[in-house]
Each structure stands twice: as structure tokens, then as C-alpha cells.
Amino acid sequence: MKLSQFKFKLPQDQIALYPHQVEKTIKTSSGEKTFTVTRRDECKLMVLHKKSETIDIFKKDSNGNDIQGEYLDFRNVLDYFDDGDTFVLNDTKVFPARLYGTKEKTDAKIEVFLLRELNEEMRLWDVLVEPARKIRIGNKLFFDDSGSMVAEVIDNTTSRGRTLRFLYDSPHEEFKQNLYALGEAPLPRYVIDSREDHHATVDDLDDFQCVFAKNEGAVTAPATGLHFSRELMKRMEIKGINTAFITLHCGLGNFHDIEVEDLTKHKMDSEQMIIGREACDLVNDTKKAGHRVCAVGTSVVKATETAVGTDGFLKEYDGWTNKFIFPPYDFGLADSMLANFYHPESTLLMETAAFGGYDLVMEAYHKALENGYKFGCYGDAMLILND
């Protein structure tokens, strides 16, 4: 397919800059008080049925008719699954990767985005810097007022990429703790640039993290997993829905612009992934029993499609993947998928369209735009079913 087939106009006000919030009113001795609370599991949900090519947007009455104006919300996802079904979740953990510092002598303000630690003993990190033109090999960067957190640029890797050596003499865990204390949640650029203060908040450190996050290494969150609350996870457990955890450390390649019209010529960045025996056994037993396997998010689909065998069963995997999925694509593992609503011409939209079918997914996006759905990492959700 062609890049231009995934182009559409996304209004700025339909890009979610904060997680889903609701207003709550309580009665106090002095009257009513209204306040706003974050409810990650109450965003809108749209449900696509692949075989019947139908789309659910609204809740239904006792006669099965749509209740206009009453949108499905994410908690309704459990209505489509039963005892014995399995959700596959990405348990990667985001770290506070965005730092702000100053350059020695000039005090020029510099943004440093941590990508990954290269060497614990030497305190070497692979990073991106902005503005890159001001940062050269040998420069020192300061990250706190006391001057205790200092890094030296020792190599250029890409146009914006640098290798930093942090000049910090302490045990490694203490160093990382102090380094992360200076960082912000690594919200996507489109969120940061659109906020009034151009910064993440303290709340984002929790909001931009899945409640089941465990294995540190991601520089952006697996966004669809953000919709799950602890209460929803408990309801899943009570209903008998299984949870299988895999790890794929989501990277910034998901946000890179595609610069070729022919999608077969686009190359994805590699991301580290691990799928263990426990997850394989649970997923494979679910398939053998004829129950549903739901991949939660594009990162899970990418990982499971990297590790699925020709027999349709999941295999253990410990390595890297640069898999790029776009229509047409023959999926080997999951029969259902949860996704967010993504930006035009993004690889995430392309993977969703490959799973749900190009025409049906693009129709769903049209309906989402008409009905005020929110797009992006903090946006609303889509469930794709193979029925």
C-alpha cells in the first residue's frame, strides 16, 4: 500500500493532551463541590467486527437498539470476552527519559532524551539532544543547580544522537535514582509541543505508565495498556479472563515520519523484546481450547507476530524486532486486538488497518472524527474482533 492512503485531517482539539478525566460532584456541609479526576478506564471505546463489517459506538438498550449519545466506554470491553479468554499485555516500564540541562560556559538550555544505558560501570548513555547543532564532542552538560549531575559528550551517533558519559561517582543504583529524579515522563513530542507550558507534569509519571508495568526499558508507553485500571484488572480476574505478559521496550521509532510513498521501502527501528515460557504456555493453551486471544496494543501485535511459529503457536523469544506490519498482512496468532486511535500516516495506524482491514478501520476513523473521539497516547480505544 501507499503512504498517502493513510492520510486524513486530524483536528488539533481531537488530540488528547492529558489522560481521560471526568467531573465528580460531592455534597459537603458548605454545599456541592465539583472536581476533576483521572479515570483511565472510562475513555470511549469503539468496537469493530471484521467478518460482519459492523461498528459499535453506542451502548444498547434491552431490545438491542443503540442508545444515542451513550458511548461505549473502555470498561465495556469485558462484555465481549468470556471465561478462558486471554489478554496479552506488554509489561515494559517507562523511565523518566526527558531531561533539561545547560551547556557549560554559554548556559544554553539543552533538552536531553535518554534512550538506553550502554555501560553501567562507565555511566555511558545513548541519548538525543536538542538543539543538536550546539552540542559537540567534549562539551559538558549540567543538569542540576548544585553541579553534581554532569555529563560529557564523547561521541556523535546520528544527526541528533550523542553518547554521554555521566561524571557521577556513586553506586550505580544511587546514580540512576538521582538521574531519574531530574527527569520527566517521556511524553510524545506532539503532546509536549501542544501543552501551554511544554512540559510533562508530576502526574504524568503515573499517568504515562501502565498499572502492570514491570520491566524497565521503554522510552514511550504502550499506550493501549494505559486504559487498564487496577479495578478493571480485578474484574477481569473475577470473570476468568487470563493475562499473559510479554515485554517489548517501546522506542521512538513509532513516531518517526515515513519518508517514502511505497511502504515496502520503509525501515523500522529495532526494539528489544522478551517472551517467556509462561506467556507462551498460557496463550497456546488458550488457543488449543478454542478461546479468544486478544493482543493489547500495536507493540504486543508486533512482538507476537515476531515470535509466532508457522503452526500458529507462540514461541519463546529474547532478542530484537524491527517488524513493520501494514496491509495486506496474514496474522498468525491473535484473533482480536485493542488499539488506540493514531495519527495520520503513522506506522501504528497501518498496523491497526492490517489487523482490522483497511476499509473497515478507515471507516471507523471517519466515525471517530465525527463523534469527537480523542487520538494519540492519551486518546480513546478501539477493539477489533474477528466476528
Side-chain angles (χ1 to χ4, degrees), residues 45-89:
L45 175 71
M46 186 182 294
V47 182
L48 281 61
H49 303 269
K50 289 174 62 174
K51 289 182 180 177
S52 63
E53 297 185 341
T54 57
I55 298 173
D56 298 339
I57 293 179
F58 301 111
K59 296 178 181 179
K60 298 184 182 297
D61 61 22
S62 57
N63 295 319
N65 299 315
D66 287 346
I67 306 174
Q68 295 296 321
E70 284 197 28
Y71 291 94
L72 293 167
D73 68 48
F74 193 77
R75 295 170 298 181
N76 294 121
V77 71
L78 300 192
D79 299 337
Y80 296 87
F81 294 91
D82 297 309
D83 180 18
D85 293 339
T86 295
F87 280 28
V88 186
L89 301 155

Side-chain angles (χ1 to χ4, degrees), residues 173-186:
E173 284 306 312
E174 180 184 333
F175 158 70
K176 283 188 72 173
Q177 182 179 354
N178 291 330
L179 178 66
Y180 287 177
L182 298 170
E184 287 185 358

